[in-house]
Amino acid sequence: MPGKNLSREEARERAGIIGVERYRVHLDVTSAPDPEKSTFLSTTEIAFRSSAPGGATFLDLLAPSVRSVTLNGRELDPAQVFDGTRVRLDGLAERNELTVVADCAYSRTGEGLHRFVDPVDGETYLYTHYEPADARRVFANFEQPDLKARYVFTVTAPAAWDVYNNAVHTAVEADGSARTWTFAETQPISTYLTAVVAGPYHVVRDHYSRELPDGTVLEIPLAATCRRSLAPYFDADEILTVTKQGLDFFHDEFDYPYPFGKYDQCFVPEYNIGAMENPGCVTFREEFVFRSKVTDAAYEGRANVILHEMAHMWFGDLVTMKWWDDLWLKESFADFMGSFSQIEATRYRSAWITFANQRKAWAYRQDQFPTTHPITADIRDLEDAKLNFDGITYAKGASVLKQLVAYVGRDAFFEGARRYFKKHAFGNTVLGDLLDVLEETSGRDLKTWAAAWLQTSGVNSLTPQLLTDGEGRITELAILQDGGEPRPHRVAIGLYDRTADGALVRSDRIELDVTGARTVVAEAAGRPRPALVLVNDDDLTYCKIRFDEVSLATLREGLGDITDPLARALAWSAVWNLTRDALMPARDYIGLVLRFAGQESDIGVLQSLHRQAKGALDVYAAPEWRAEGGRLLARGAVTELRAAAPGSDHQLAWARFLAQTAQGAEQLQLLRGLLEGTARIDGLDIDQELRWSLWLALAAAGDASGEELAAELERDNTASGRRQQTQCLAALPTPGAKAAAWSSVVDSDELPNALVEAQIAGFAQPDQRELTAGYAAPYFAMLEDIWAQRSIEIAMRIVGGFFPRFQTTPETLAATDAWLTAHEGAAPALRRLVLECRDDLARALAAQAADR
Ligand SMILES: [Zn+2]
């Protein structure tokens, strides 16, 4: 297996002959504040056993250079044993002592040890991020999840810094301008879960304690950190409140004391993902520290992530998947537990609405790609693994667990989890280990269930079929199941009718098992025909909801009249799926949003309606109707913005939506007036984030100058300001702006991850189709080089971000197909990304045809 990859087969063989006892890792990062220094010194001592004395194996290490390798007192020549990605070890003894001294590189891509300099005060910040396999960028190791070991970290850093690790520090020794931090030995954990965070971080400390069933008291020191310049915005109280609520909940339900001592939560800059569950040292993207007003949906989203990561302390950190095939064993559970615990333990009671409407949309999209896969996946190597942090592993897996709880009951589910933790603590597992305990506790055969739900791919559609008599009574209600192999679904069928004042309310609920292609709902016979039949009411299962004709007509007239917010969210989700499937014209979907979004009480749902309506306009609407549709959306945004309660979340959401849809002199004038203070909307605070949204709209429309954007940066010369100004400049509708943005990403690898993202986001503007049409050919021409030369994180962004997705023409589809045909042998992970872009494009063309 060449280069940076590692195959499942190699990992299996290595685990067959190696057992790791302990790592001692020393990192010297005193060079970090000096921008001229690109590396830090990394020393690793590993004590490991081999069951094949005399045999050979290898270590993983991605480092610019290795100074020395010493195996059992024997000096190995780095030039002979190190090839840039691996260190070859032969002549193993039964017990081995290995020392590797290497110069490792500071990262600018968020992979490994990331270095960031704050433009506000010039301070340098470091943090690590490894999953799935980037610990090897920081220290030499056996990089695979089932070779768990204990770690002792020591870190030498500038004297003014603090350093955080999975364990508590036991000593800090000063030596001139540096201090060396020594940390306690960790529990046995996987390489990808180790962590170091270092810099002059602002910290808020707190404490959690709890009496355990045996009478002892569990003490967990808590800390929350962010960059100093973000400290004024850091609402640590709210973060720590959710943290304590989560610790209460998981101790109540899991009956296994938190095993990692203390609990730090570090909000770090230029983070590639939402957060990472490093035991005792969770890292979060710092955009969760809100600099300007955000809606309650953002607080809810952050709380969900806090709880998701905390659930991982048990599902993932205490018990870890053997290989990445079973990534779902931790991600599906954490995703499910995040929402479950949020509702039971915090003030965020609409988590299931968000889950049904937004999280599941991710799953439906991913599951209809030709590249979809079973929840338990076939992960051949690390490139496969990297792409599987996707809508199947997270959202579909979590949806299926929700279905499992409906199937076996809550008590059996949690009792199964409790046994799983006790039985496999600090170990590694596969699917069968989980099914075993759940079968014990539920008394049900779960092999068949798992075969149907975990080992197949695709989403079923459930459609109600009604027969009525002359008096409008139901003679038969059946549920049709299609879309791949039928599955066993535990579902609730909601029957809705109009009340005297016009509301749509549930008059009946029937819960049953839907099994084959057609299931008769016997209980419904003899009832009056309802105005609306909502299959999968209460969102128990994972399916696409379809409607009979009468129900669909009811929704077209009165979707917003459904009073229950979860049912309404499900209806919105269903009509969005119809639109994506070219079964409802995009202009009809946009019409529903224009008519009913103003009535939507749930702020998260409203924001997702905004995103979807804009998406429908940009790629699903017939091109000849686009201008008209755009005018309608923008006019709707102005009306709702002016009607929204002053200072409300809804007002802010409509203001942002206006920024995304504004067009024509009058509306652009309004945006400029809001920026300059000559126009006012009562209660709407034009704070810094909103200012940037308005500037982006003006820039994309060609109504902002480089000088104005420079002046705005002057006003907000922060990391966030730099990203947003970069995005605005890339959005300017000139050939020069497009060329500069493209070139900064494609022709150079100087930019850090955050600015790569900003350049791509600015470049790809839906209403600049003519300006960017010429980039389709260079896009396909560069793909293989980019994949070979860039880190996978950056390559994924470029491949997905620069795909000509707004060029929704048969020609773009043909060019994509031509590339796929000519590159059968390209890296499978690269092909997967292009295939997914192609599928989105084909879907857009079908939707446009339906919209004509
Ligand atoms: Zn996770």
Side-chain angles (χ1 to χ4, degrees), residues 41 78 143 187 262 324 339 451 503 567 601 615 625 639 737 745 813 836:
L41 191 63
E143 185 93 66
Q187 297 279 18
K262 50 93 181 178
W324 303 100
S339 298
S601 58
W625 185 76
T639 306
V745 172
L813 192 64
E836 291 174 358

Side-chain angles (χ1 to χ4, degrees), residues 277 308-309 312 331 334 394:
E277 68 267 21
H308 172 121
E309 304 311 326
H312 272 315
E331 290 309 341
Y394 286 69

